[in-house]
Amino acid sequence: MNKIVRLMSFLLPAVCLCLPRAADACTNVIVGKAASADGSVMVTYAADSYTRYGTLVHYPAGKHKAGEMRRILQWGQDHYLGEIPEAPYTYNVIGNMNEHQLVIGETTWGGRPELRDPQGICDYGSLEYICLQRCTKAREAIELFVQLANEYGYASSGESLSFADPEEAWILEVIAKKPDVTEGVNRNKGIVWVAVRIPDGYISAHANCARITTFPKDDPANCIYAPDVISHAREIGIYSGSDEDFSFADTYCPLSFSLMRNCEARVWSFFNRWGDLDMNQYLDFAMADNPKNRMPLYVKPKARLSVLDLAAMMRDHYEGTPFDMTKDIGAGSNETPYRWKQNDWTVDGVKYSNGRPICTQQTGFWFVAQCRGWLPDAVGGVFWFAVDDAGTSALTPVYSSSRAVSWHYALGNGSMVEYSESSMFWLNNRIAQFAYLRYNPVGLEVQEKIAEHERTMVEKLAACDAAALAIRSEKKQLKFLTQFSVAEADALFDKWYELDKYLLLKYMDGTVKRQNPDGSFITNGSTDYIPVSPDWPGYSEKFKRAIVEDNGALLKVR
């Protein structure tokens, strides 16, 4: 179980392909360094897809010969797109964070379907990892992303991307120009784009909907953009107003019911919980009742956020809001906040749509990345990582300077169609499937175990930081940080392996075995092998009333 692998740089990450459909895709949350509890810049990401197998990828640093080419395979699909020259030197990358504390996340919004380059070589996922391997700063990575997309063509739909380093965080929004294919060649290659810096004391988020509306044209320290981002919209007939009134989001990603209710509502929920702003004023927008009442791109937080705060946010199902998914009859007998596909459905000719929260069952992997600028890069970058649904999986801290990853999380250990007993993804799925069936109480106990584990890991990480800083040798320091990262991931697997067995013992057949204060099961007093009669939690009150309404005449006792 403690096998460690080094993944060679030619391997593609087996991570989420965020499909260009709002109901399937991903969520990013961003926290500026003056908005965090410890002064770190933080970015979260949930990579959500029903076909994506969650792993932690590792690209080792490397040197490359002159003339060496890099094959571009479409991220998550492995379709060959083309080749570009390799960089002379590439950096060590763990997941979506490199050894210089640069982190990149994304969410797909699709946008206007006519804005697709049929000959593009660089898809957004490949560009993310190329930037992580070649860049050290967020602004530098944005510039490289744009440069490569313009030079080789952009092979994806509309995207919002988070770029962060220890000093600053940005949102970049991009979409391909309308192609002009003449004699088999696209003469209108490249992208239109805009990038906005999130102020240090603010928080932001994006969730499968473009969010940059109007933007300053004369503030290059905080906003950069394509020189033709407005003129191209005029040329293709999708904008006719003034430069001052131009909105990137409204022009290239027109709002719909789904974009507001299933995407922007996730941003609303984050701002509602943590923003120093009365979000009731934007509730009609999140409800899809008032498209003109757009939320701001970023807000001040009501308090400084910690890693644990962001982890809790990534487990949000709109609890305590009008969208709360545990309250309607769709939650079933055990108040589960999950809804199974299809998300949209019709009854008597009327169309309905289930909510889409941040926390969802189809997550392949998710993370909370910390860029800690007061520490050297080897120690400062921490990639808190988990696979599968955030609501039933625990984060493990991995230093972004690590030279290896745990076998339990590694590419090659199982797949979406190949079960592996040593895979953390499959182990988490075993626990999740049980929790979905009896969310209250099974899911709630899993969350208690998660909270206990993550509080402990925050303390362990602080101790590891101190120990690593005392090591003078860079080689020994990297070895120490790698060993910590791998060992703690292995230990979490072992702990969750026991949790899986414990949950089955305690909650089998719709019952709850009674326990002593130390957690052991209470037996009948005659033998250690027979428990006392268990408890029967039964069904929620709302569900019982629904049964009565549906079939009460037959079930009524008389």
Side-chain angles (χ1 to χ4, degrees):
M1 290 186 180
N2 292 323
K3 182 177 179 182
I4 302 172
V5 296
R6 286 181 178 271
L7 302 180
M8 302 307 293
S9 61
F10 60 83
L11 291 174
L12 275 184
V15 289
C16 166
L17 173 67
C18 291
L19 302 176
R21 291 166 47 188
D24 284 341
C26 315
T27 305
N28 281 192
V29 165
I30 304 169
V31 176
K33 65 180 182 179
S36 67
D38 62 359
S40 60
V41 177
M42 294 188 287
V43 173
T44 76
Y45 175 37
D48 304 331
S49 167
Y50 283 99
T51 63
R52 191 50 42 210
Y53 187 69
T55 63
L56 178 58
V57 296
H58 176 212
Y59 287 97
K63 295 180 180 180
H64 305 278
K65 297 179 181 179
E68 185 176 341
M69 302 295 287
R70 179 189 182 112
R71 298 178 75 243
I72 303 297
L73 302 181
Q74 185 180 4
W75 191 43
Q77 294 293 306
D78 285 2
H79 300 317
Y80 175 76
L81 296 176
E83 298 183 2
I84 67 172
E86 186 57 274
Y89 183 83
T90 52
Y91 301 118
N92 187 75
V93 177
I94 292 290
N96 288 56
M97 192 176 196
N98 74 13
E99 61 185 308
H100 295 285
Q101 306 192 59
L102 171 66
V103 59
I104 305 176
E106 58 77 32
T107 70
T108 299
W109 39 266
R112 293 183 177 274
E114 69 272 24
L115 304 184
R116 306 286 189 273
D117 182 355
Q119 299 177 350
I121 288 178
C122 293
D123 65 290
Y124 73 87
S126 298
L127 285 170
E128 285 183 81
Y129 283 87
I130 291 170
C131 290
L132 286 168
Q133 289 181 287
R134 299 185 183 187
C135 302
T136 62
K137 299 295 182 184
R139 186 186 290 258
E140 176 192 3
I142 292 171
E143 292 171 352
L144 180 61
F145 189 104
V146 170
Q147 173 194 328
L148 294 176
N150 283 334
E151 184 174 356
Y152 297 102
Y154 181 61
S156 298
S157 61
E159 287 285 323
S160 293
L161 298 109
S162 302
F163 291 78
D165 60 39
E167 295 302 318
E168 56 186 21
W170 291 72
I171 292 178
L172 166 69
E173 298 193 327
V174 306
I175 196 167
K177 297 179 183 178
K178 187 174 183 179
D180 178 12
V181 180
T182 306
E183 297 181 351
V185 178
N186 181 13
R187 304 183 185 280
N188 207 21
K189 185 168 55 177
I191 56 176
V192 285
W193 59 277
V194 59
V196 173
R197 184 177 184 270
I198 306 304
D200 292 344
Y202 286 73
I203 59 177
S204 185
H206 53 89
N208 310 120
C209 182
R211 302 210 60 244
I212 299 175
T213 54
T214 57
F215 53 90
K217 315 299 189 298
D218 56 356
D219 185 12
N222 297 294
C223 180
I224 50 179
Y225 53 92
D228 58 349
V229 66
I230 303 176
S231 62
H232 182 70
R234 289 199 182 99
E235 289 169 6
I236 64 176
I238 62 174
Y239 183 70
S240 58
S242 66
D243 285 7
E244 182 180 7
D245 294 333
F246 177 79
S247 164
F248 182 93
D250 289 306
T251 303
Y252 291 109
C253 180
L255 287 170
S256 65
F257 174 90
S258 181
L259 287 176
M260 288 179 280
R261 179 67 67 86
N262 294 324
C263 303
E264 288 286 77
R266 283 178 265 159
V267 177
W268 179 90
S269 189
F270 175 51
F271 287 176
N272 182 62
R273 184 181 297 190
W274 283 106
D276 188 17
L277 189 66
D278 180 8
M279 290 306 294
N280 285 326
Q281 64 183 302
Y282 297 105
L283 183 58
D284 59 351
F285 175 73
M287 287 282 192
D289 292 330
N290 187 1
K292 294 183 179 180
N293 191 27
R294 276 187 177 269
M295 298 178 291
L297 180 61
Y298 46 78
V299 300
K300 287 185 177 181
K302 63 181 66 174
R304 291 190 171 215
L305 286 77
S306 69
V307 166
L308 297 183
D309 293 328
L310 290 192
M313 194 67 234
M314 297 305 288
R315 298 182 173 109
D316 179 64
H317 299 104
Y318 297 117
E319 287 86 352
T321 76
F323 302 104
D324 193 332
M325 299 181 71
T326 67
K327 299 303 182 184
D328 66 65
I329 194 60
S333 62
N334 290 116
E335 299 174 317
T336 177
Y338 297 91
R339 302 293 183 272
W340 316 131
K341 300 288 281 185
Q342 293 292 337
N343 200 54
D344 299 334
W345 38 280
T346 302
V347 173
D348 297 333
V350 179
K351 188 175 182 179
Y352 300 89
S353 180
N354 287 320
R356 166 57 164 95
I358 293 174
C359 185
T360 182
Q361 63 270 14
Q362 71 263 27
T363 299
F365 73 89
W366 65 288
F367 66 74
V368 179
Q370 268 190 296
C371 310
R372 304 183 296 175
W374 65 93
L375 294 169
D377 285 339
V379 182
V382 182
F383 193 68
W384 294 84
F385 183 77
V387 289
D388 195 39
D389 179 357
T392 50
S393 61
L395 292 165
T396 189
V398 183
Y399 286 93
S400 62
S401 61
S402 295
R403 273 20 187 189
V405 299
S406 165
W407 169 244
H408 301 302
Y409 293 81
L411 180 64
N413 185 6
S415 72
M416 208 63 173
V417 293
E418 179 188 8
Y419 183 83
S420 170
E421 292 186 351
S422 60
S423 161
M424 192 62 171
F425 179 81
W426 281 118
L427 177 57
N428 273 332
N429 265 282
R430 290 177 62 90
I431 292 172
Q433 304 314 305
F434 195 15
Y436 296 157
L437 294 174
R438 296 182 61 198
Y439 187 78
N440 182 4
V442 178
L444 300 184
E445 177 154 1
V446 173
Q447 290 178 14
E448 291 174 1
K449 302 294 186 185
I450 289 171
E452 178 185 351
H453 165 78
E454 291 176 353
R455 287 193 299 267
T456 299
M457 291 316 304
V458 168
E459 297 173 358
K460 282 192 173 184
L461 185 76
C464 184
D465 288 346
L469 292 172
I471 300 174
R472 295 182 179 276
S473 165
E474 179 182 3
K475 183 177 181 180
K476 290 182 179 179
Q477 185 184 65
L478 290 175
K479 182 179 179 180
F480 175 77
L481 294 171
T482 300
Q483 288 176 338
F484 172 86
S485 300
V486 173
E488 290 303 333
D490 288 346
L492 178 57
F493 179 88
D494 293 340
K495 184 188 298 183
W496 250 232
Y497 184 81
E498 295 302 319
L499 176 62
D500 182 41
K501 294 186 292 184
Y502 161 80
L503 293 172
L504 179 60
L505 282 169
K506 182 174 178 179
Y507 293 106
M508 65 182 294
D509 297 335
T511 68
V512 180
K513 285 189 177 71
R514 300 178 187 182
Q515 292 173 282
N516 294 302
D518 65 358
S520 62
F521 295 114
I522 301 174
T523 57
N524 68 359
S526 299
T527 174
D528 291 337
Y529 302 104
I530 300 176
V532 296
S533 294
D535 291 327
W536 294 273
Y539 300 140
S540 68
E541 184 66 22
K542 181 178 285 265
F543 192 76
K544 286 185 284 188
R545 291 183 179 277
I547 293 175
V548 169
E549 182 177 345
D550 178 63
N551 201 25
L554 176 65
L555 301 178
K556 183 177 180 181
V557 176
R558 52 189 178 272

